[in-house]
Amino acid sequence: MDEFPRELWNRGMYEQVRRMTESPHEEAYNAEGHYALREAIAQHLRRMRGIDAPPERIVIVNGSMQAIALLTQVLVNEGDPVVLERPGYPGTSRAVLAAGGVPVHAAVDGQGLVPQPWNARLMFVTPSRQYPTGAVLGLERRQQLLRWAEEQGAVIVEDDYDSEFRHRGRPIEPLKVLDQEEGRVVYIGTFSKTMLQELRIGYVVLPEALQVAFVAAKRLYEPHPSGLLEQRSLAAFMASGGYERHLRRMRRVYASKFLLLQALLQEQLSTLFEWVESDSGLHLFGWWRGDFNSYASYAAACREVGVSWSDAAFYDLPQERAGAIFGFAHLTEEEIRSGVALLRHVYEIVTK
Protein backbone atom coordinates (compact mmCIF):
# COMPACT_ATOMS: atom_id res chain seq x y z
CA MET A 1 0.00 0.00 0.00
CA ASP A 2 3.00 2.31 0.37
CA GLU A 3 3.20 2.32 -3.43
CA PHE A 4 -0.46 3.09 -4.12
CA PRO A 5 -1.02 6.53 -5.76
CA ARG A 6 -3.37 7.73 -3.02
CA GLU A 7 -3.25 11.43 -3.86
CA LEU A 8 -4.07 10.85 -7.53
CA TRP A 9 -6.86 8.42 -6.67
CA ASN A 10 -8.36 10.75 -4.04
CA ARG A 11 -8.38 13.68 -6.47
CA GLY A 12 -10.21 11.52 -8.99
CA MET A 13 -12.78 10.49 -6.38
CA TYR A 14 -13.45 14.10 -5.39
CA GLU A 15 -13.89 15.06 -9.04
CA GLN A 16 -16.46 12.31 -9.56
CA VAL A 17 -18.34 13.32 -6.39
CA ARG A 18 -18.60 16.86 -7.79
CA ARG A 19 -19.85 15.63 -11.16
CA MET A 20 -22.39 13.26 -9.69
CA THR A 21 -23.90 15.92 -7.46
CA GLU A 22 -24.17 18.42 -10.31
CA SER A 23 -26.43 16.34 -12.53
CA PRO A 24 -28.53 13.14 -12.27
CA HIS A 25 -27.41 10.01 -14.07
CA GLU A 26 -29.62 7.45 -15.73
CA GLU A 27 -26.88 4.85 -15.27
CA ALA A 28 -28.03 4.44 -11.66
CA TYR A 29 -30.60 2.06 -13.16
CA ASN A 30 -28.14 0.20 -15.39
CA ALA A 31 -27.45 -3.20 -13.84
CA GLU A 32 -24.52 -3.78 -16.22
CA GLY A 33 -22.53 -1.00 -14.56
CA HIS A 34 -20.91 2.28 -15.63
CA TYR A 35 -20.45 2.17 -19.39
CA ALA A 36 -17.19 4.15 -19.44
CA LEU A 37 -15.65 1.59 -17.08
CA ARG A 38 -16.81 -1.26 -19.30
CA GLU A 39 -15.18 0.53 -22.25
CA ALA A 40 -11.92 0.96 -20.31
CA ILE A 41 -11.92 -2.71 -19.29
CA ALA A 42 -12.55 -3.79 -22.88
CA GLN A 43 -9.55 -1.76 -24.06
CA HIS A 44 -7.37 -3.08 -21.24
CA LEU A 45 -8.28 -6.71 -21.93
CA ARG A 46 -7.58 -6.25 -25.62
CA ARG A 47 -4.10 -4.86 -24.96
CA MET A 48 -3.05 -6.98 -22.00
CA ARG A 49 -4.88 -10.32 -22.35
CA GLY A 50 -5.73 -10.54 -26.05
CA ILE A 51 -9.47 -10.73 -25.32
CA ASP A 52 -11.48 -8.92 -27.98
CA ALA A 53 -14.83 -8.26 -26.32
CA PRO A 54 -17.11 -5.25 -26.82
CA PRO A 55 -18.17 -3.26 -23.72
CA GLU A 56 -21.72 -4.59 -24.19
CA ARG A 57 -20.49 -8.10 -23.30
CA ILE A 58 -18.92 -6.87 -20.05
CA VAL A 59 -20.87 -6.59 -16.79
CA ILE A 60 -19.48 -4.93 -13.66
CA VAL A 61 -19.95 -6.95 -10.47
CA ASN A 62 -19.38 -6.36 -6.78
CA GLY A 63 -16.23 -8.49 -6.67
CA SER A 64 -15.59 -11.80 -8.42
CA MET A 65 -17.54 -13.72 -5.76
CA GLN A 66 -20.75 -12.01 -6.87
CA ALA A 67 -20.06 -13.14 -10.43
CA ILE A 68 -19.55 -16.73 -9.28
CA ALA A 69 -22.75 -16.67 -7.20
CA LEU A 70 -24.84 -15.22 -10.03
CA LEU A 71 -23.49 -17.69 -12.56
CA THR A 72 -24.38 -20.65 -10.35
CA GLN A 73 -27.87 -19.23 -9.82
CA VAL A 74 -28.34 -18.94 -13.59
CA LEU A 75 -26.69 -22.19 -14.70
CA VAL A 76 -27.16 -24.75 -11.90
CA ASN A 77 -30.34 -26.72 -11.23
CA GLU A 78 -30.96 -28.97 -8.25
CA GLY A 79 -28.67 -31.99 -8.44
CA ASP A 80 -26.55 -30.76 -11.36
CA PRO A 81 -22.89 -31.86 -11.24
CA VAL A 82 -20.37 -28.99 -11.39
CA VAL A 83 -16.64 -29.56 -11.95
CA LEU A 84 -14.43 -27.78 -9.40
CA GLU A 85 -10.67 -27.85 -8.86
CA ARG A 86 -9.37 -29.60 -5.76
CA PRO A 87 -7.72 -27.79 -4.08
CA GLY A 88 -9.59 -24.69 -5.10
CA TYR A 89 -11.33 -21.52 -4.04
CA PRO A 90 -13.88 -22.45 -1.32
CA GLY A 91 -16.28 -19.66 -2.31
CA THR A 92 -17.02 -21.46 -5.56
CA SER A 93 -17.96 -24.66 -3.77
CA ARG A 94 -20.23 -22.73 -1.40
CA ALA A 95 -21.97 -21.04 -4.34
CA VAL A 96 -22.54 -24.38 -6.10
CA LEU A 97 -23.98 -25.96 -2.96
CA ALA A 98 -26.22 -22.94 -2.33
CA ALA A 99 -27.67 -23.36 -5.84
CA GLY A 100 -28.34 -27.05 -5.22
CA GLY A 101 -25.47 -28.30 -7.35
CA VAL A 102 -23.20 -31.27 -6.65
CA PRO A 103 -19.44 -30.52 -6.65
CA VAL A 104 -17.38 -32.90 -8.78
CA HIS A 105 -13.79 -32.54 -7.60
CA ALA A 106 -11.15 -32.46 -10.34
CA ALA A 107 -7.58 -33.35 -9.43
CA VAL A 108 -4.80 -30.78 -9.71
CA ASP A 109 -1.13 -31.54 -10.37
CA GLY A 110 1.95 -29.45 -11.18
CA GLN A 111 0.40 -28.47 -14.53
CA GLY A 112 -2.98 -27.47 -13.10
CA LEU A 113 -6.34 -29.21 -13.50
CA VAL A 114 -6.18 -32.74 -14.92
CA PRO A 115 -8.78 -33.16 -17.71
CA GLN A 116 -11.27 -36.03 -17.45
CA PRO A 117 -14.45 -36.99 -19.38
CA TRP A 118 -16.74 -35.55 -16.71
CA ASN A 119 -20.49 -35.91 -17.07
CA ALA A 120 -21.26 -32.27 -16.31
CA ARG A 121 -22.26 -29.06 -18.06
CA LEU A 122 -20.45 -26.48 -15.94
CA MET A 123 -16.85 -26.06 -14.79
CA PHE A 124 -14.99 -23.45 -12.75
CA VAL A 125 -11.26 -23.27 -13.42
CA THR A 126 -8.25 -20.99 -12.76
CA PRO A 127 -6.01 -21.80 -15.77
CA SER A 128 -3.65 -18.80 -15.74
CA ARG A 129 -2.63 -19.51 -12.15
CA GLN A 130 -4.35 -22.36 -10.35
CA TYR A 131 -5.70 -21.30 -6.98
CA PRO A 132 -4.06 -21.91 -4.59
CA THR A 133 -1.13 -23.95 -5.99
CA GLY A 134 -0.08 -21.44 -8.67
CA ALA A 135 0.29 -24.10 -11.37
CA VAL A 136 -0.25 -22.91 -14.96
CA LEU A 137 -2.52 -24.91 -17.26
CA GLY A 138 -0.66 -25.72 -20.47
CA LEU A 139 -1.99 -25.16 -23.97
CA GLU A 140 -2.73 -28.84 -24.61
CA ARG A 141 -4.88 -29.13 -21.50
CA ARG A 142 -6.68 -25.89 -22.32
CA GLN A 143 -7.59 -27.30 -25.71
CA GLN A 144 -8.77 -30.51 -24.06
CA LEU A 145 -11.10 -28.53 -21.79
CA LEU A 146 -12.55 -26.64 -24.74
CA ARG A 147 -13.15 -29.89 -26.62
CA TRP A 148 -14.85 -31.33 -23.53
CA ALA A 149 -17.09 -28.26 -23.26
CA GLU A 150 -18.08 -28.55 -26.92
CA GLU A 151 -18.86 -32.26 -26.64
CA GLN A 152 -20.86 -31.82 -23.41
CA GLY A 153 -22.57 -28.57 -24.37
CA ALA A 154 -20.93 -27.20 -21.23
CA VAL A 155 -19.92 -23.75 -19.96
CA ILE A 156 -16.43 -23.09 -18.57
CA VAL A 157 -16.06 -20.24 -16.08
CA GLU A 158 -12.48 -18.93 -16.23
CA ASP A 159 -11.48 -17.09 -13.04
CA ASP A 160 -8.45 -14.96 -13.93
CA TYR A 161 -8.00 -13.59 -10.43
CA ASP A 162 -4.40 -12.27 -10.51
CA SER A 163 -3.07 -12.50 -14.05
CA GLU A 164 -1.80 -8.90 -13.95
CA PHE A 165 1.31 -9.85 -11.98
CA ARG A 166 3.50 -12.07 -14.11
CA HIS A 167 7.14 -11.92 -13.01
CA ARG A 168 8.93 -13.72 -15.82
CA GLY A 169 8.26 -15.56 -19.06
CA ARG A 170 5.47 -15.04 -21.55
CA PRO A 171 1.83 -15.36 -20.45
CA ILE A 172 -0.30 -18.11 -21.97
CA GLU A 173 -3.46 -16.93 -23.67
CA PRO A 174 -6.63 -17.14 -21.58
CA LEU A 175 -9.18 -19.82 -22.40
CA LYS A 176 -11.45 -16.98 -23.48
CA VAL A 177 -9.05 -16.13 -26.33
CA LEU A 178 -8.97 -19.75 -27.52
CA ASP A 179 -12.78 -19.93 -27.44
CA GLN A 180 -13.22 -18.07 -30.71
CA GLU A 181 -16.26 -19.81 -32.19
CA GLU A 182 -18.21 -21.84 -29.64
CA GLY A 183 -18.83 -19.16 -26.98
CA ARG A 184 -18.34 -21.67 -24.16
CA VAL A 185 -16.14 -19.57 -21.82
CA VAL A 186 -17.18 -16.96 -19.27
CA TYR A 187 -14.24 -14.81 -18.17
CA ILE A 188 -14.09 -13.28 -14.67
CA GLY A 189 -11.61 -10.59 -13.68
CA THR A 190 -11.16 -8.42 -10.59
CA PHE A 191 -9.42 -5.27 -9.40
CA SER A 192 -9.03 -6.59 -5.83
CA LYS A 193 -5.39 -7.58 -6.39
CA THR A 194 -4.31 -4.48 -8.30
CA MET A 195 -6.16 -1.65 -6.54
CA LEU A 196 -7.37 -1.05 -3.00
CA GLN A 197 -8.63 -4.27 -1.44
CA GLU A 198 -11.74 -2.41 -0.27
CA LEU A 199 -12.58 -1.52 -3.88
CA ARG A 200 -15.05 -4.33 -4.54
CA ILE A 201 -15.11 -4.14 -8.32
CA GLY A 202 -14.92 -7.14 -10.61
CA TYR A 203 -16.20 -7.85 -14.09
CA VAL A 204 -17.55 -10.64 -16.26
CA VAL A 205 -17.03 -11.11 -20.00
CA LEU A 206 -20.04 -13.06 -21.20
CA PRO A 207 -20.81 -15.12 -24.31
CA GLU A 208 -23.78 -13.75 -26.22
CA ALA A 209 -25.96 -16.70 -25.22
CA LEU A 210 -25.65 -15.89 -21.51
CA GLN A 211 -25.88 -12.10 -21.67
CA VAL A 212 -29.61 -11.67 -21.13
CA ALA A 213 -29.95 -14.28 -18.36
CA PHE A 214 -26.93 -13.00 -16.40
CA VAL A 215 -28.01 -9.36 -16.56
CA ALA A 216 -31.55 -10.34 -15.50
CA ALA A 217 -30.13 -12.17 -12.46
CA LYS A 218 -27.94 -9.23 -11.53
CA ARG A 219 -30.86 -6.82 -11.89
CA LEU A 220 -32.93 -9.04 -9.60
CA TYR A 221 -30.36 -9.07 -6.80
CA GLU A 222 -28.92 -5.60 -7.42
CA PRO A 223 -31.33 -3.38 -9.38
CA HIS A 224 -29.11 -0.33 -8.82
CA PRO A 225 -25.36 -0.84 -9.35
CA SER A 226 -23.41 -0.47 -6.12
CA GLY A 227 -20.24 1.58 -5.86
CA LEU A 228 -21.13 3.81 -8.80
CA LEU A 229 -18.81 6.54 -7.49
CA GLU A 230 -15.92 4.06 -7.38
CA GLN A 231 -16.82 2.73 -10.83
CA ARG A 232 -16.71 6.22 -12.31
CA SER A 233 -13.43 7.00 -10.55
CA LEU A 234 -11.82 3.79 -11.77
CA ALA A 235 -12.99 4.46 -15.33
CA ALA A 236 -11.37 7.90 -15.26
CA PHE A 237 -8.21 6.47 -13.66
CA MET A 238 -7.91 3.89 -16.44
CA ALA A 239 -8.70 6.37 -19.22
CA SER A 240 -5.98 8.75 -17.97
CA GLY A 241 -3.31 6.03 -18.09
CA GLY A 242 -2.95 6.10 -14.31
CA TYR A 243 -3.97 2.48 -13.88
CA GLU A 244 -1.39 1.09 -16.30
CA ARG A 245 1.35 3.27 -14.78
CA HIS A 246 0.37 1.92 -11.37
CA LEU A 247 0.47 -1.65 -12.71
CA ARG A 248 3.94 -1.19 -14.22
CA ARG A 249 5.26 0.12 -10.93
CA MET A 250 3.69 -2.68 -8.90
CA ARG A 251 4.96 -5.33 -11.30
CA ARG A 252 8.52 -4.17 -10.62
CA VAL A 253 7.94 -4.14 -6.86
CA TYR A 254 6.25 -7.53 -6.72
CA ALA A 255 8.65 -9.22 -9.15
CA SER A 256 11.60 -8.31 -6.93
CA LYS A 257 9.86 -9.73 -3.85
CA PHE A 258 8.62 -12.82 -5.69
CA LEU A 259 12.03 -13.78 -7.06
CA LEU A 260 13.70 -13.16 -3.69
CA LEU A 261 11.21 -15.28 -1.75
CA GLN A 262 11.24 -18.04 -4.35
CA ALA A 263 15.04 -18.27 -4.29
CA LEU A 264 15.21 -18.26 -0.48
CA LEU A 265 12.50 -20.88 -0.03
CA GLN A 266 14.04 -23.21 -2.60
CA GLU A 267 17.47 -22.78 -1.05
CA GLN A 268 16.50 -22.97 2.62
CA LEU A 269 13.33 -25.07 2.90
CA SER A 270 13.16 -27.55 0.02
CA THR A 271 13.77 -30.40 2.45
CA LEU A 272 10.46 -29.50 4.11
CA PHE A 273 8.31 -28.41 1.16
CA GLU A 274 7.87 -29.47 -2.44
CA TRP A 275 7.49 -26.11 -4.17
CA VAL A 276 5.06 -25.76 -7.07
CA GLU A 277 6.75 -24.02 -9.99
CA SER A 278 5.24 -20.59 -10.57
CA ASP A 279 6.01 -17.45 -12.57
CA SER A 280 3.29 -15.09 -11.37
CA GLY A 281 0.98 -14.02 -8.58
CA LEU A 282 1.32 -12.77 -5.02
CA HIS A 283 2.02 -16.00 -3.15
CA LEU A 284 4.04 -19.20 -3.42
CA PHE A 285 2.68 -22.65 -2.66
CA GLY A 286 4.42 -25.67 -1.18
CA TRP A 287 3.32 -29.26 -0.46
CA TRP A 288 4.54 -30.46 2.94
CA ARG A 289 6.83 -33.46 2.55
CA GLY A 290 6.03 -35.02 5.93
CA ASP A 291 2.88 -36.13 7.74
CA PHE A 292 0.16 -33.99 9.29
CA ASN A 293 1.55 -34.18 12.81
CA SER A 294 4.98 -32.93 11.80
CA TYR A 295 3.38 -30.15 9.76
CA ALA A 296 1.24 -29.01 12.70
CA SER A 297 4.23 -29.08 15.05
CA TYR A 298 6.41 -27.07 12.67
CA ALA A 299 3.68 -24.49 12.02
CA ALA A 300 3.09 -24.04 15.76
CA ALA A 301 6.81 -23.60 16.43
CA CYS A 302 7.04 -20.99 13.65
CA ARG A 303 4.10 -19.05 15.04
CA GLU A 304 5.85 -18.89 18.41
CA VAL A 305 8.76 -16.98 16.84
CA GLY A 306 6.42 -14.67 14.89
CA VAL A 307 6.22 -16.25 11.43
CA SER A 308 3.00 -17.59 9.97
CA TRP A 309 1.44 -18.48 6.63
CA SER A 310 -1.95 -19.48 5.26
CA ASP A 311 -2.76 -23.14 5.84
CA ALA A 312 -3.83 -24.60 2.50
CA ALA A 313 -6.25 -26.98 4.25
CA PHE A 314 -8.78 -24.14 3.97
CA TYR A 315 -8.81 -24.73 0.19
CA ASP A 316 -10.06 -28.32 0.31
CA LEU A 317 -6.77 -30.14 -0.10
CA PRO A 318 -6.72 -33.87 -0.87
CA GLN A 319 -6.95 -35.68 2.46
CA GLU A 320 -3.48 -37.22 2.24
CA ARG A 321 -1.55 -33.95 1.87
CA ALA A 322 -0.77 -30.76 3.78
CA GLY A 323 0.26 -27.54 2.09
CA ALA A 324 1.22 -23.95 2.81
CA ILE A 325 0.64 -20.60 1.08
CA PHE A 326 3.36 -17.99 1.55
CA GLY A 327 2.12 -14.49 0.74
CA PHE A 328 4.65 -11.70 0.25
CA ALA A 329 2.88 -8.64 -1.14
CA HIS A 330 2.61 -6.96 2.29
CA LEU A 331 6.25 -7.56 3.27
CA THR A 332 9.45 -5.64 2.66
CA GLU A 333 12.42 -7.51 1.21
CA GLU A 334 14.14 -7.30 4.58
CA GLU A 335 11.09 -8.85 6.27
CA ILE A 336 11.13 -11.63 3.67
CA ARG A 337 14.79 -12.39 4.40
CA SER A 338 14.19 -12.30 8.15
CA GLY A 339 11.09 -14.48 7.91
CA VAL A 340 12.76 -17.22 5.87
CA ALA A 341 15.76 -17.16 8.22
CA LEU A 342 13.39 -17.79 11.13
CA LEU A 343 11.68 -20.61 9.24
CA ARG A 344 15.08 -22.21 8.67
CA HIS A 345 16.08 -21.63 12.31
CA VAL A 346 12.96 -23.40 13.58
CA TYR A 347 13.60 -26.31 11.20
CA GLU A 348 17.15 -26.72 12.49
CA ILE A 349 15.94 -26.74 16.09
CA VAL A 350 13.15 -29.23 15.40
CA THR A 351 15.44 -31.65 13.55
CA LYS A 352 18.19 -31.70 16.20
Side-chain angles (χ1 to χ4, degrees):
M1 291 310 302
D2 293 339
E3 303 289 338
F4 186 75
R6 292 177 182 274
E7 185 176 345
L8 181 62
W9 175 252
N10 289 341
R11 283 203 309 269
M13 289 278 284
Y14 294 145
E15 172 65 17
Q16 294 304 320
V17 168
R18 184 183 65 78
R19 293 188 179 187
M20 290 180 70
T21 53
E22 286 179 352
S23 60
H25 295 278
E26 294 181 359
E27 64 187 2
Y29 301 94
N30 185 356
E32 292 95 324
H34 183 47
Y35 190 78
L37 178 56
R38 294 155 67 199
E39 283 185 313
I41 291 170
Q43 293 174 9
H44 179 75
L45 288 176
R46 194 173 298 116
R47 288 197 301 271
M48 305 304 296
R49 301 298 284 145
I51 297 174
D52 189 11
E56 290 75 17
R57 291 281 174 266
I58 297 173
V59 177
I60 307 301
V61 289
N62 185 16
S64 57
M65 187 60 223
Q66 186 186 55
I68 292 168
L70 289 174
L71 286 165
T72 56
Q73 293 292 314
V74 168
L75 295 171
V76 178
N77 294 315
E78 186 77 25
D80 283 354
V82 181
V83 179
L84 305 177
E85 296 168 320
R86 186 177 188 185
Y89 177 50
T92 306
S93 180
R94 290 196 298 268
V96 169
L97 291 170
V102 179
V104 175
H105 294 296
V108 170
D109 62 15
Q111 287 76 50
L113 180 144
V114 181
Q116 298 291 331
W118 305 282
N119 182 21
R121 297 188 65 188
L122 179 61
M123 167 193 290
F124 287 86
V125 65
T126 52
S128 295
R129 177 172 160 78
Q130 200 280 326
Y131 195 80
T133 68
V136 177
L137 194 68
L139 179 60
E140 183 178 349
R141 288 192 181 183
R142 291 170 188 245
Q143 292 170 336
Q144 286 181 271
L145 293 187
L146 291 173
R147 286 196 296 270
W148 167 81
E150 182 180 357
E151 292 167 0
Q152 292 289 123
V155 172
I156 299 176
V157 179
E158 177 179 16
D159 186 356
D160 206 9
Y161 66 97
D162 73 350
S163 63
E164 300 287 3
F165 298 120
R166 188 166 189 85
H167 310 305
R168 62 187 178 194
R170 293 176 59 85
I172 297 178
E173 291 180 326
L175 275 174
K176 185 67 178 174
V177 174
L178 300 176
D179 180 38
Q180 295 286 350
E181 298 178 1
E182 292 295 322
R184 296 288 175 189
V185 177
V186 178
Y187 182 91
I188 298 177
T190 180
F191 292 94
S192 296
K193 300 288 187 182
T194 58
M195 294 288 291
L196 298 167
Q197 189 172 8
E198 296 80 10
L199 189 70
R200 304 305 303 162
I201 295 180
Y203 56 91
V204 186
V205 182
L206 294 158
E208 183 178 0
L210 284 178
Q211 179 83 18
V212 173
F214 185 88
V215 172
K218 186 170 188 296
R219 187 174 289 116
L220 173 65
Y221 290 106
E222 193 180 45
H224 305 288
S226 62
L228 195 52
L229 170 61
E230 290 82 359
Q231 289 188 36
R232 291 171 59 91
S233 300
L234 181 56
F237 189 50
M238 295 179 76
S240 71
Y243 180 67
E244 290 200 4
R245 287 193 296 273
H246 169 61
L247 280 183
R248 287 195 295 270
R249 182 167 58 251
M250 296 315 299
R251 286 186 185 114
R252 291 194 296 269
V253 171
Y254 288 146
S256 179
K257 295 180 181 184
F258 173 90
L259 295 173
L260 173 64
L261 178 60
Q262 187 177 61
L264 290 173
L265 291 177
Q266 290 176 345
E267 176 186 343
Q268 300 291 328
L269 294 174
S270 288
T271 52
L272 289 177
F273 292 94
E274 174 191 342
W275 303 110
V276 175
E277 184 65 26
S278 180
D279 293 324
S280 62
L282 301 178
H283 72 262
L284 289 164
F285 183 93
W287 293 107
W288 180 252
R289 294 186 184 274
D291 58 26
F292 286 104
N293 289 335
S294 62
Y295 173 78
S297 297
Y298 179 69
C302 290
R303 285 194 296 270
E304 288 182 4
V305 299
V307 182
S308 62
W309 57 82
S310 297
D311 188 343
F314 179 70
Y315 300 98
D316 195 20
L317 291 188
Q319 293 183 354
E320 68 276 9
R321 307 196 79 175
I325 298 168
F326 291 84
F328 60 84
H330 59 300
L331 301 173
T332 65
E333 292 193 4
E334 182 55 38
E335 287 171 331
I336 290 173
R337 293 181 189 277
S338 174
V340 175
L342 285 170
L343 292 173
R344 179 69 185 183
H345 176 67
V346 170
Y347 164 66
E348 291 173 348
I349 293 176
V350 170
T351 55
K352 281 185 178 178

